[in-house]
Amino acid sequence: MRNQPLPGLARNIVKAWRYHRPFHSPLLELYSYIPDKPEKLPAHYHDEYQFCLSVNYPSESYYQKSVHFVPAGSFSIIHPGEMHSGTGKDVGNGRDRATFRMMYLSSEVIAQVTSSIFQASGSLPYFSDSILLDRAVTLSFSRFHSASQHHAPQLQQDEQLQQFLTLLIGQYAERQPLLQPTGQERPAIKQVRTYLQQHYTCNIGLERLAKIVSLSSSYLSRVFKAEVGISLSQYQTQLRINRAKSLLLSGASIKRTASDLGFSDQSHFTHAFKRLVHTTPGRYIQDSS
């Protein structure tokens, strides 16, 4: 019989905060999941680099068209625009909380550090090893992440972030420029993505999108999902939820956030948020405070 989870593990907890830089402030998150009831994380992507430290629990992820085992204590990297998902399979002991430390870092910040290391500008680093078992990298990332979470002096945070990025990029980044998945898409799909990114709060219909790129609505719907990996509506929802995180952390109310981002009502917003973040907007605010 499977071990029962310990008392007090009743719900997922997600804490989030911003590391404040003059520009492109990174989003940091601390996830504490209930291992006994794993949920499959829907396919999604981020505009930023996603860095994840699997603190104490193994997991499985799907990206680059295959399933990857992510050992406990490993550090993983997802490039901007790279579709990925969680398989929902519990590969641990089903008893302890699963803790993950996350950071989403913009291409602009990564490019600055890469330029200083390689003495070249205009390109983004590519990491051919997406899962690292390097104690120096995990310790460096964990120190910065913890210092930021507990509001350490700004200079300390700045130095630790710089040390982490210098170590990671210097040891593991290839000098070839990063090829964004969008660059491989046909121009019509790239145009639709750009349009949705600029108008994600609007109530846009399929016919309107199809007219913009002079395609039939059925063909656009089919080819978008085939090339991007998710449907048009899922893509729009992800854009809205990514923005919602920032609004909630800045103090916006749940009701106002739902309205400003184009959700039909607060219930619809809450359902979409929980599906992608695995916690409700209210808990997201409460746990992050």
Side-chain angles (χ1 to χ4, degrees):
M1 178 181 293
R2 188 184 183 84
N3 290 330
Q4 295 299 312
L6 292 173
L9 304 185
R11 63 181 180 87
N12 294 330
I13 296 175
V14 182
K15 297 183 179 181
W17 63 96
R18 287 282 183 184
Y19 164 69
H20 297 289
R21 291 173 54 94
F23 305 101
H24 312 296
S25 297
L27 173 65
L28 296 102
E29 294 176 331
L30 176 65
Y31 285 82
S32 182
Y33 283 144
I34 304 170
D36 193 55
K37 298 179 180 178
E39 301 177 53
K40 182 177 181 180
L41 188 64
H44 62 290
Y45 85 106
H46 304 281
D47 290 321
E48 307 88 355
Y49 284 82
Q50 175 186 290
F51 299 133
C52 175
L53 172 60
S54 182
V55 176
N56 64 334
Y57 211 83
S59 62
E60 277 190 352
S61 296
Y62 182 86
Y63 58 96
Q64 297 176 337
K65 299 182 179 181
S66 61
V67 174
H68 297 258
F69 175 68
V70 184
S74 65
F75 183 82
S76 58
I77 304 166
I78 302 290
H79 293 98
E82 189 172 85
M83 286 293 169
H84 57 286
S85 64
T87 64
K89 182 179 179 181
D90 187 357
V91 293
N93 60 21
R95 182 174 175 83
D96 301 319
R97 271 195 176 275
T99 304
F100 301 92
R101 291 187 176 271
M102 312 281 292
M103 178 167 69
Y104 307 92
L105 200 56
S106 71
S107 297
E108 289 82 1
V109 174
I110 290 288
Q112 291 173 7
V113 180
T114 304
S115 176
S116 67
I117 294 175
F118 292 154
Q119 299 299 309
S121 59
S123 64
L124 292 172
Y126 178 78
F127 300 92
S128 56
D129 295 324
S130 56
I131 300 175
L132 307 178
L133 287 169
D134 186 322
R135 184 166 176 78
V137 169
T138 58
L139 282 176
S140 182
F141 178 75
S142 185
R143 288 193 191 103
F144 161 69
H145 201 280
S146 180
S148 181
Q149 179 187 359
H150 296 101
H151 309 291
Q154 189 63 49
L155 182 58
Q156 178 184 339
Q157 295 184 50
D158 292 344
E159 288 180 334
Q160 289 179 336
L161 176 60
Q162 189 71 23
Q163 290 168 2
F164 159 68
L165 291 175
T166 300
L167 174 63
L168 178 69
I169 295 172
Q171 291 290 329
Y172 291 100
E174 299 180 8
R175 300 195 184 198
Q176 69 184 68
L178 172 63
L179 298 176
Q180 298 268 11
T182 53
Q184 302 170 6
E185 298 168 355
R186 62 191 66 189
I189 302 305
K190 185 175 182 180
Q191 186 178 349
V192 168
R193 283 180 64 142
T194 300
Y195 186 87
L196 286 172
Q197 289 166 5
Q198 296 172 346
H199 303 86
Y200 60 87
T201 63
C202 301
N203 187 22
I204 303 170
L206 179 56
E207 291 291 340
R208 181 178 176 184
L209 293 174
K211 185 176 293 186
I212 290 172
V213 291
S214 301
L215 296 174
S216 70
S217 57
S218 61
Y219 181 73
L220 171 61
S221 179
R222 185 171 67 253
V223 75
F224 186 94
K225 185 170 185 178
E227 295 197 18
V228 179
I230 54 176
S231 69
L232 284 157
S233 61
Q234 289 172 327
Y235 186 83
Q236 181 189 55
T237 298
Q238 286 181 17
L239 291 171
R240 291 175 172 180
I241 296 303
N242 288 342
R243 176 58 178 159
K245 289 181 178 181
S246 295
L247 291 175
L248 293 172
L249 289 177
S250 68
S253 69
I254 298 173
K255 183 177 180 180
R256 179 63 182 271
T257 298
S259 175
D260 288 351
L261 294 180
F263 288 96
S264 58
D265 53 41
Q266 187 172 324
S267 177
H268 181 208
F269 168 57
T270 298
H271 177 76
F273 193 94
K274 189 174 188 300
R275 182 172 179 269
L276 286 172
V277 189
H278 284 182
T279 192
T280 65
R283 289 291 189 185
Y284 190 78
I285 297 172
Q286 177 181 323
D287 291 338
S288 300
S289 61

